[in-house]
Amino acid sequence: MKKTSGFIAITAIAALFAGCAGNDNKTTGTTAADTGLAADIKQHIAVLANDSLLGRKPFTKGEDKTIAYIAAEFKKLDLEPGNNGSYFQEVPLVEITSAAQDLQIKGASSAVLKPGTDFVASTRREVDTLSLKNSPLVFAGFGVVAPEYGWNDYKNLDVKGKTVIVLVNDPGFKAEKKLFKGDTMSYYGRWTYKYEEAARQGAAGVLIVHQTEPASYGWQVIQNSFTGSKLYLQQADKHMNRCKVEGWISEDAAKKLLSAAGITGDMRAYARKEGFKAVALNSTASLALQNKLKYSKSHNVIATLKGTERPDETILYTAHWDHFGIGKPDAKGDSIYNGAIDNASGVAAILAVAKKFTQQKEKPKRSIVFLAVTAEEQGLLGSEYYATHPVYPLNKTVANLNIDALSDFGETSNFSITGKGQNDLDDYVIALTKPKGWDVVGDETPGSGSYYRSDHFNFAKVGVPALDLHNGSKSIQRGEEFGKEKAKEYNEQHYHQPSDEYSDAMDTKGMAQTANLMYQLGVKLSNETTFPGWKKGSEFKAMAN
């Protein structure tokens, strides 16, 4: 990797954008320090979301430039290399590019489904070619086995050699009576879980029915995020324990398949019925995949500020540096997925937090670790690798403070904690915001399952109290409706699209608010002797014991 040339190129870009961030102080409640923080964040976003980084996809020249820039910024702040003298932790990945042929349906329903239009499909299996041949189709409801909720969609069902069609989200979403966590998605609602469970059951294939509201994103996100090359952590068994085929099917195509088997109307209501049993669709699926395999290493970027009294105990800040690289062009012909909000904003925020820590006179008693992880967009892979190959012991990791996709519409008078109610870190945030009169709320879109969609989840899974904090929707300048509309606009028009790009018009003061809160939280945690814990009822409490 040509890290030296990367340093030079990115430094030039940084200089170009150094004057982009304004220094006005008109917004109520913004301090001079916060304005400086906002300027730092804006400058970092301008660099990280620049076209020259090619959308920051792992395994590309965009990765080389991105990690060089982050490491250079850490070095500039005199932070120590975090991994035994290196700013990098290698993450071994395999890139699989699957080309799917038409999906042939025969039987009660006969159809030829087109890749990208009617379905998307890929595989984790590290083989050149594979196929489904006349695999019987089964509608397995939500594809959930949850003993604690008394739910088993696979009860008395043998799916070996079969392809299951399952619904996105879990049974609780928009249900008439309380099921699971109601409209708050449980992990059983995540697409990752659906794939995992189908593999445990021995299915040959699994297709998730896409529905916009329970998925929380449109079909265009599936087309952009689940096609082309995909990255996976290298595994000794070459992922042969996974289903041959993993994918999604459009709602229209799924309705036709189900109606041919007598399932009409609301398929979610049908799958919620008491005593639901999986339904054979009396049709088979045939599909061939051609795969290109590439083995290489991506990189987490890690730096440390050593604690003065308890250096072996760490507070871990995380943000993912990656996005989707170059892909399908939009209507304007733009094919670079810059990921300015998602997640140049988070990396910019932890760089700004790192700068504040290095500038404080009193150094922290515990160590502060800054970790920019790779391949979040590919399934939280960089954080999963760190959580299973930690540089610093997990039992002495006090907390994980994660920053992902901060809004760019200015200061807010509320803040959103993803998965609020999970652990004691919520109480720390409330204590910090209360004197300012700011509110702390839970997920503003609880059905989207956000707690399972960013890197903090991998730390929660191994018992480390994890916090994912965002600026809320109550815009101080323009009100809550404005903030909600801006959030809706981003989700519908820019999320995982080429249009998520840097603009001089970005108002990063709200990002600075969040970064400053995370900094203050880190300061408090770094000078304590206690460890925050998990709250009663959290599914992660047992992980910490």
Side-chain angles (χ1 to χ4, degrees):
M1 294 175 63
K2 299 178 181 178
K3 296 187 179 69
T4 304
S5 60
F7 286 153
I8 295 170
I10 299 303
T11 301
I13 298 167
L16 178 64
F17 284 99
C20 289
N23 224 9
D24 71 77
N25 192 21
K26 296 177 183 178
T27 304
T28 304
T30 305
T31 65
D34 287 345
T35 304
L37 198 64
D40 287 343
I41 289 171
K42 192 168 188 177
Q43 180 179 326
H44 288 309
I45 294 173
V47 175
L48 290 164
N50 188 272
D51 280 357
S52 66
L53 269 65
L54 306 173
R56 304 194 309 277
K57 187 172 183 178
F59 283 15
T60 68
K61 291 180 180 179
E63 168 169 358
D64 298 357
K65 293 181 178 182
T66 301
I67 66 173
Y69 176 74
I70 298 168
E73 291 301 303
F74 284 151
K75 187 174 182 180
K76 194 185 298 181
L77 294 171
D78 290 327
L79 294 170
E80 294 182 19
N83 185 22
N84 299 311
S86 174
Y87 285 112
F88 305 106
Q89 180 188 37
E90 292 185 342
V91 180
L93 299 173
V94 55
E95 180 183 76
I96 304 179
T97 306
S98 297
Q101 296 179 2
D102 293 346
L103 177 58
Q104 305 282 342
I105 307 296
K106 295 181 179 180
S109 178
S110 294
V112 177
L113 303 185
K114 297 297 182 180
T117 302
D118 303 309
F119 76 100
V120 299
S122 59
T123 186
R124 293 172 194 249
R125 295 192 178 191
E126 299 169 37
V127 293
D128 293 331
T129 62
L130 57 75
S131 62
L132 296 175
K133 293 183 179 179
N134 300 318
S135 175
L137 289 167
V138 179
F139 177 54
F142 293 92
V144 167
V145 178
E148 68 273 34
Y149 293 112
W151 199 279
N152 186 351
D153 287 320
Y154 286 98
K155 186 176 181 179
N156 300 324
L157 179 63
D158 181 3
V159 296
K160 290 180 174 62
K162 299 176 182 178
T163 295
V164 293
I165 294 180
V166 299
L167 299 172
V168 71
N169 213 312
D170 64 40
F173 185 75
K174 301 298 181 184
E176 291 183 3
K177 65 176 183 178
K178 181 69 181 287
L179 295 170
F180 287 59
K181 295 181 177 181
D183 286 347
T184 298
M185 186 192 286
S186 68
Y187 185 58
Y188 294 113
R190 285 289 288 146
W191 58 268
T192 50
Y193 168 78
K194 312 286 183 177
Y195 291 169
E196 292 161 1
E197 190 58 52
R200 282 191 287 268
Q201 297 293 329
V206 52
L207 295 173
I208 302 171
V209 179
H210 174 266
Q211 293 175 300
T212 297
E213 187 178 17
S216 82
Y217 40 74
W219 182 249
Q220 79 278 2
V221 174
I222 302 297
Q223 292 172 313
N224 291 339
S225 306
F226 291 86
T227 57
S229 63
K230 294 287 291 177
L231 296 173
Y232 306 99
L233 291 174
Q234 293 181 26
Q235 301 291 350
D237 73 344
K238 296 187 179 294
H239 297 94
M240 296 302 288
N241 66 332
R242 299 299 291 247
C243 296
K244 282 185 175 181
V245 172
E246 299 174 342
W248 293 74
I249 184 169
S250 73
E251 185 174 12
D252 286 344
K255 282 180 176 178
K256 291 175 184 176
L257 289 176
L258 268 59
S259 64
I263 303 173
T264 57
D266 186 349
M267 64 183 81
R268 302 183 72 81
Y270 184 93
R272 286 195 198 99
K273 286 181 180 177
E274 192 169 344
F276 167 82
K277 292 182 180 179
V279 179
L281 298 181
N282 302 317
S283 299
T284 63
S286 296
L287 174 70
L289 293 177
Q290 299 285 334
N291 301 320
K292 292 181 180 179
L293 307 177
K294 177 183 177 182
Y295 294 89
S296 191
K297 293 181 174 67
S298 188
H299 302 82
N300 293 332
V301 191
I302 183 168
T304 305
L305 179 63
K306 282 287 181 67
T308 57
E309 293 185 13
R310 293 180 295 284
D312 58 330
E313 297 175 359
T314 58
I315 289 87
L316 178 65
Y317 286 90
T318 54
H320 73 90
W321 59 255
D322 67 296
H323 205 53
F324 288 102
I326 298 175
K328 179 183 176 182
D330 63 11
K332 298 179 180 178
D334 187 358
S335 61
I336 299 179
Y337 289 67
N338 302 91
I341 298 297
D342 184 16
N343 184 36
S345 67
V347 176
I350 67 166
L351 288 172
V353 169
K355 182 177 179 179
K356 284 183 72 71
F357 267 106
T358 60
Q359 289 176 335
Q360 70 179 25
K361 291 181 180 179
E362 187 176 343
K363 299 304 178 187
K365 295 176 181 178
R366 286 166 160 163
S367 294
I368 311 297
V369 179
F370 301 96
L371 179 67
V373 295
T374 184
E376 189 267 2
E377 302 291 7
Q378 306 292 325
L380 317 184
L381 302 183
S383 57
E384 179 183 348
Y385 188 80
Y386 182 93
T388 54
H389 300 80
V391 176
Y392 300 91
L394 296 176
N395 65 350
K396 291 190 176 183
T397 302
V398 178
N400 167 232
L401 307 180
N402 186 61
I403 305 179
D404 190 355
L406 300 176
S407 299
D408 66 342
F409 54 81
E411 290 185 292
T412 62
S413 61
N414 69 336
F415 294 84
S416 173
I417 294 177
T418 307
K420 186 172 179 282
Q422 292 280 4
N423 58 59
D424 295 339
L425 296 173
D426 297 357
D427 303 324
Y428 285 73
V429 175
I430 291 168
L432 288 169
T433 55
K434 190 174 181 180
K436 300 176 184 292
W438 296 338
D439 297 325
V440 177
V441 298
D443 295 349
E444 297 193 282
T445 54
S448 64
S450 297
Y451 200 80
Y452 315 105
R453 289 171 59 175
S454 191
D455 294 298
H456 58 280
F457 175 51
N458 281 321
F459 295 98
K461 283 202 298 187
V462 293
V464 176
L467 175 75
D468 188 54
L469 184 69
H470 299 259
N471 39 341
S473 60
K474 290 184 179 179
S475 167
I476 289 177
Q477 281 191 322
R478 302 182 66 173
E480 185 171 11
E481 287 307 310
F482 170 79
K484 286 184 175 180
E485 187 57 37
K486 292 295 288 183
K488 183 172 182 286
E489 176 189 308
Y490 174 77
N491 195 54
E492 293 181 354
Q493 299 180 28
H494 307 300
Y495 175 62
H496 288 187
Q497 304 295 320
S499 57
D500 181 7
E501 56 190 359
Y502 173 80
S503 165
D504 285 345
M506 279 183 163
D507 185 344
T508 56
K509 295 190 188 73
M511 298 179 184
Q513 276 182 298
T514 305
N516 202 34
L517 274 175
M518 290 295 239
Y519 163 71
Q520 293 174 42
L521 175 54
V523 169
K524 182 168 177 56
L525 290 168
S526 69
N527 292 311
E528 291 182 338
T529 57
T530 56
F531 284 65
W534 293 93
K535 292 184 181 293
K536 184 179 179 180
S538 170
E539 63 258 52
F540 303 105
K541 185 176 177 65
M543 312 291 186
N545 296 330

